[in-house]
Amino acid sequence: MKKLINAPENIVREALAGMAAAHPDLLRVHVDPDYIARADAPVRGKVALVSGGGSGHEPLHGGFVGDGMLDAACPGAIFTSPVPDQMLAAARAVHGDAGILFIVKNYTGDVMNFELAAELAAAEGIPVASVVTNDDVAVRDSLYTAGRRGVGVTVLVEKIAGAAARAGADLATCQRIAEKVNAQGRSMGMALTSCTVPHVGRPTFDLPDDQMEIGIGIHGEPGRTRQQLASAAAIAELLARPILEDLPFQRGDQVLAFVNGMGGTPLIELYVMYHELSKILAGEGITISRSLVGNYITSLEMAGCSFTLLKLDEELTRLWDAPVLTPALRWGI
Amino acid sequence: MQIESDCVLKFLEVVAARIKEQRDYLTELDAAIGDADHGVNLDRGFSAVMSKLPTLTGRDIGSILRTVGTTLVSTVGGASGPLYGTAFIRAGAAAADRFQLDPYEFVVVLEAALRGIETRGKATRGEKTMLDAIAPFVETLKAGVEANEDPLIALRKAVAACEEGMRATIPMLATKGRASYLGERSIGHQDPGATSAYLMARAMLDVVEERNAE
């Protein structure tokens, strides 16, 4: 393992200290329990958005704390959901008397810990609504499973619901919009290499040089299939087709196309993938009206990418375009 | 067989030590079907429990177990934090104000823990989770105690059933937790949660046997 760390057990706290030092104008870091809150929290009368999850997916979620997006983020240990103490402390710190929206990725641990936190917050008289993202089409959805994973769409939910909250929407409206984004978004990812979890010290899975994992998760959990490495064009087909079929996306749709890097893939390759995706969508008569390309929901240094498509309407487009000022996403301010 | 407060404290010490020993093994099992953090997370939680142990000496069993539960919820994270945390909190409620448990009461306390895990995880047996080890453990112990078996023999049988339940997770298809995302590829791997549950059951037996020998 070659990493820029002092000791695996200190990596999250030291990264938090670094974030606090790098962005004093945007956010404040609280340690024990750990959470990141926007510098001017609580914003009176505004619904506060709180998200969180295991660390190792940076910039998710701490990088999206700021004006127009999240009010607080709770970083767990690497790839481990945060604990209810963190969410409760964050909720107290950012509650502006308009309620809290929890944005939760659909992983059993995240769901259970946020559920516990919501119960504790409600007991303190803080109204909490939750949205659970589950956009990963690589996972079969059924009544008998934990359901699909929440991945790339989480970033879009945080931005769009964050804009709604900033514009003064109430808790129920923010929740409705967050759920709409989740319902209209689909994702799928792949990996060229494994990541290495610092406290484990070696790659989570072995992937021969000529192989790739399709349908990968963001925690180094193996994908659903392993196959021969293919060209960017062929990989784009493997990712885009299941997404297009699932909603389904149709001719005439306007979409936000999001090509996300897993942390270890250079931007030049992500743009190659974006090019391939845009050709596929053009062939289907689907218009890309908004785009996002870069490393936004990562898996440590895993090489690979994911595609997320979000069907846009006037409401979602307007909220996407609204100003945002966070460490990792900023425009219009 | 009576379970006393200091026996519970000893059990916690043994569990914490075994989890530490088996940390990498549990993490390895988790890497195959999950996210490679089960051992590390439990070790963090039980290390926090160990640091609270001195304040628990002389307290009733209910208070001890409740403190363990809230400590685990506050430090473990993932799914195992709320699941084991809820188990200990519910067990603590069932043992409130008790300094000693007879075998029947011990079964009631364990059943409360089992129900807590079922409710929190919305899981049942056969889904490749810790329940597949814990449920046969509690049920076998209960059957033995109700049949007036020697409690120590009943506990030994229960731990054997727990181990069997743990091994039975190997061929199972996961439908709960992160392993479920692998679908068919989850088959052939022993569940890390069932394994940590077995470690705890085994620790319980070892502590009781040691007390009995004294």
Side-chain angles (χ1 to χ4, degrees):
Chain A
M1 175 175 65
K2 288 165 88 174
K3 285 180 187 286
L4 301 170
I5 57 174
N6 294 310
E9 61 274 22
N10 298 334
I11 186 169
V12 173
R13 285 274 168 88
E14 290 179 5
L16 285 175
M19 278 192 83
H23 307 287
D25 51 329
L26 297 178
L27 48 86
R28 258 192 272 285
V29 167
H30 187 280
V31 168
D32 200 16
D34 298 354
Y35 63 86
I36 301 164
R38 55 185 282 178
D40 55 351
V43 182
R44 289 284 150 218
K46 189 187 86 72
V47 171
L49 271 61
V50 176
S51 191
S55 294
H57 306 304
E58 291 68 26
L60 191 83
H61 297 269
F64 301 129
V65 172
D67 190 8
M69 220 160 155
L70 295 178
D71 293 79
C74 305
I78 300 270
F79 291 176
T80 298
S81 79
V83 300
D85 296 24
Q86 289 173 263
M87 299 142 189
L88 184 61
R92 284 185 196 131
V94 301
H95 185 217
D97 294 326
I100 307 276
L101 180 65
F102 280 165
I103 298 169
V104 187
K105 299 190 296 302
N106 191 31
Y107 291 95
T108 310
D110 292 271
V111 171
M112 277 194 255
N113 283 284
F114 270 102
E115 252 174 34
L116 278 167
E119 285 171 23
L120 296 169
E124 290 188 10
I126 303 176
V128 174
S130 297
V131 58
V132 177
T133 60
N134 58 351
D135 52 306
D136 191 345
V137 303
V139 175
R140 269 184 227 110
D141 192 18
S142 88
L143 286 174
Y144 309 103
T145 69
R148 289 176 165 176
R149 297 179 285 229
V151 285
V153 128
T154 315
V155 177
L156 312 182
V157 168
E158 291 176 4
K159 167 65 188 82
I160 291 171
R166 186 178 192 265
D170 64 12
L171 183 56
T173 307
C174 290
Q175 185 186 28
R176 172 186 68 76
I177 288 167
E179 276 169 357
K180 178 165 142 185
V181 174
N182 183 54
Q184 299 194 175
R186 296 288 189 279
S187 302
M188 176 127 161
M190 60 82 58
L192 297 166
T193 67
S194 172
C195 53
T196 295
V197 179
H199 56 243
V200 178
R202 52 190 155 66
T204 301
F205 57 91
D206 296 315
L207 190 55
D209 274 353
D210 61 342
Q211 304 277 303
M212 60 182 177
E213 288 267 347
I214 298 292
I216 193 82
I218 55 169
H219 301 95
E221 61 266 51
R224 288 190 77 96
T225 59
R226 176 169 293 195
Q227 53 198 82
Q228 196 68 25
L229 188 60
S231 66
I235 294 170
E237 285 283 341
L238 289 172
L239 297 184
R241 291 297 162 196
I243 292 175
L244 290 170
E245 284 158 18
D246 194 89
L247 195 55
F249 290 87
Q250 287 160 343
R251 185 165 291 278
D253 280 349
Q254 305 260 325
V255 299
L256 186 162
F258 172 21
V259 172
N260 174 63
M262 293 295 181
T265 290
L267 207 47
I268 188 170
E269 293 173 36
L270 298 182
Y271 278 117
V272 168
M273 293 303 287
Y274 187 86
H275 176 56
E276 295 300 338
L277 175 61
S278 65
K279 283 192 290 187
I280 292 169
L281 294 179
E284 294 296 317
I286 293 166
T287 307
I288 301 180
S289 59
R290 296 293 182 276
S291 65
L292 187 66
V293 182
N295 292 288
Y296 292 99
I297 169 168
T298 61
S299 183
L300 296 171
E301 79 286 20
M302 182 187 281
C305 73
S306 61
F307 286 176
T308 298
L309 294 180
L310 171 67
K311 192 186 280 205
L312 288 173
D313 58 13
E314 189 279 324
E315 180 181 50
L316 299 188
T317 308
R318 179 172 45 81
L319 292 168
W320 176 255
D321 289 344
V324 59
L325 182 60
T326 70
L329 207 65
R330 54 174 70 191
W331 56 71
I333 293 181
Chain B
M1 185 181 83
Q2 294 286 329
I3 307 285
E4 283 150 3
S5 299
D6 69 322
C7 184
V8 175
L9 295 174
K10 182 71 196 165
F11 160 71
L12 294 170
E13 263 176 49
V14 174
V15 169
R18 301 242 170 113
I19 297 276
K20 200 172 281 298
E21 270 166 32
Q22 302 293 322
R23 194 178 86 146
D24 293 345
Y25 172 58
L26 291 172
T27 296
E28 215 171 280
L29 291 176
D30 195 21
I33 55 173
D35 51 358
D37 64 1
H38 190 59
V40 174
N41 289 348
L42 280 187
D43 183 31
R44 185 173 55 243
F46 277 97
S47 295
V49 167
M50 285 317 288
S51 71
K52 290 197 178 170
L53 225 48
T55 67
L56 295 173
T57 311
R59 305 279 299 278
D60 67 282
I61 295 173
S63 306
I64 296 168
L65 295 177
R66 258 198 318 277
T67 307
V68 172
T70 52
T71 305
L72 293 179
V73 169
S74 297
T75 52
V76 176
S80 47
L83 291 171
Y84 280 129
T86 303
F88 277 96
I89 291 168
R90 297 283 180 90
D97 303 324
R98 304 305 306 271
F99 286 86
Q100 193 171 306
L101 302 172
D102 68 26
Y104 290 93
E105 293 166 330
F106 184 44
V107 167
V108 169
V109 168
L110 287 171
E111 278 190 308
L114 173 61
R115 296 286 105 80
I117 292 172
E118 284 172 343
T119 319
R120 184 63 66 198
K122 300 177 183 75
T124 53
R125 284 176 71 172
E127 294 180 310
K128 200 179 183 89
T129 72
M130 56 176 72
L131 273 182
D132 292 312
I134 298 170
F137 171 67
V138 177
E139 283 159 17
T140 307
L141 183 67
K142 185 183 185 181
V145 169
E146 282 180 350
N148 282 321
E149 257 179 21
D150 176 80
L152 189 56
I153 289 171
L155 186 59
R156 281 188 195 130
K157 284 186 184 168
V159 171
C162 183
E163 185 173 11
E164 202 179 305
M166 169 186 82
R167 304 241 182 265
T169 62
I170 297 172
M172 284 180 189
L173 174 76
T175 59
K176 283 285 182 292
R178 251 171 225 174
S180 71
Y181 299 136
L182 296 185
E184 303 283 326
R185 293 175 89 186
S186 66
I187 292 171
H189 299 279
Q190 185 170 307
D191 182 66
T195 310
S196 58
Y198 168 68
L199 284 179
M200 290 186 210
R202 177 81 225 182
M204 210 176 283
L205 174 63
D206 290 349
V207 169
V208 170
E209 281 194 327
E210 195 188 307
R211 289 288 147 123
N212 238 46
E214 277 169 8

